[in-house]
Amino acid sequence: MIEVEVDAGDWTDAIDDVEAVVERAAVAALGDREGGIVILLTDDETVRDLNDRFRGKDRPTNVLSFPAAEMPCVAGQTPLGDIVLAYGVCAAEAEEQSKTLRNHLTHLVVHGVLHLLGRDHEVDVEAEAMEGEERVILASLGVSDPYTLPYDD
């Protein structure tokens, strides 16, 4: 089950069907795996606060992933965790990188879901594997390789 919550109207102002975009990306990233994910589309201040409280970094970032603690299944689905995205940071990155916000959001949702599935990018080998997986998922959604510049979508 994918639950999308929009806490900042900027998201719906910028992308008409933002909930559908997010759900489609999350489902693609999950593949045949099952699990519950809550995705919150919010503002920079909310993400800054979460980033400070949980990571000790007093600044907003584009996406945060919070894996669920080991819990029993709820309504037939094991909770995987929560993903939180900051509108201002995401919009600025999309503009700086000449990407559409829709495609950048799709990429960041895929990235966040892969974190919930245990992927990481702390070391080069893991980063290369994760980026490769992202490329395959994004290509299946019709989104160009986000790691190739100039980004042309």
Side-chain angles (χ1 to χ4, degrees):
M1 174 185 80
I2 309 295
E3 181 181 333
V4 181
E5 298 178 8
V6 181
D7 187 44
D10 292 335
W11 285 106
T12 53
D13 292 344
I15 303 173
D16 289 336
D17 54 349
V18 71
E19 293 95 341
V21 170
V22 169
E23 185 170 347
R24 183 172 176 250
V27 167
L30 278 173
D32 61 358
R33 295 162 294 243
E34 293 186 13
I37 300 173
V38 175
I39 302 170
L40 175 63
L41 302 177
T42 192
D43 57 32
D44 290 8
E45 183 56 30
T46 300
V47 172
R48 185 210 58 77
D49 179 57
L50 291 169
N51 203 23
D52 186 32
R53 284 193 288 150
F54 292 98
R55 298 179 67 226
K57 298 180 180 187
D58 189 15
R59 63 181 183 274
T61 189
N62 52 15
V63 60
L64 292 171
S65 298
F66 297 98
E70 292 293 321
M71 300 172 66
C73 290
V74 177
Q77 295 245 328
T78 302
L80 293 176
D82 301 332
I83 299 170
V84 185
L85 295 111
Y87 176 80
V89 174
C90 293
E93 287 175 347
E95 185 174 331
E96 289 166 10
Q97 298 170 24
S98 301
K99 302 176 182 181
T100 65
L101 181 56
R102 173 186 298 266
N103 282 0
H104 191 47
L105 174 61
T106 298
H107 174 218
L108 293 174
V109 169
V110 167
H111 184 87
V113 171
L114 291 179
H115 274 304
L116 296 182
L117 294 173
R119 310 308 188 277
D120 210 345
H121 49 79
E122 293 300 314
V123 297
D124 288 344
V125 172
E126 291 175 342
E128 289 174 22
M130 186 171 177
E131 289 172 10
E133 195 170 355
E134 289 172 3
R135 287 181 179 103
V136 169
I137 295 165
L138 292 169
S140 77
L141 295 169
V143 176
S144 300
D145 182 346
Y147 298 105
T148 301
L149 294 175
Y151 193 84
D152 189 25
D153 59 355

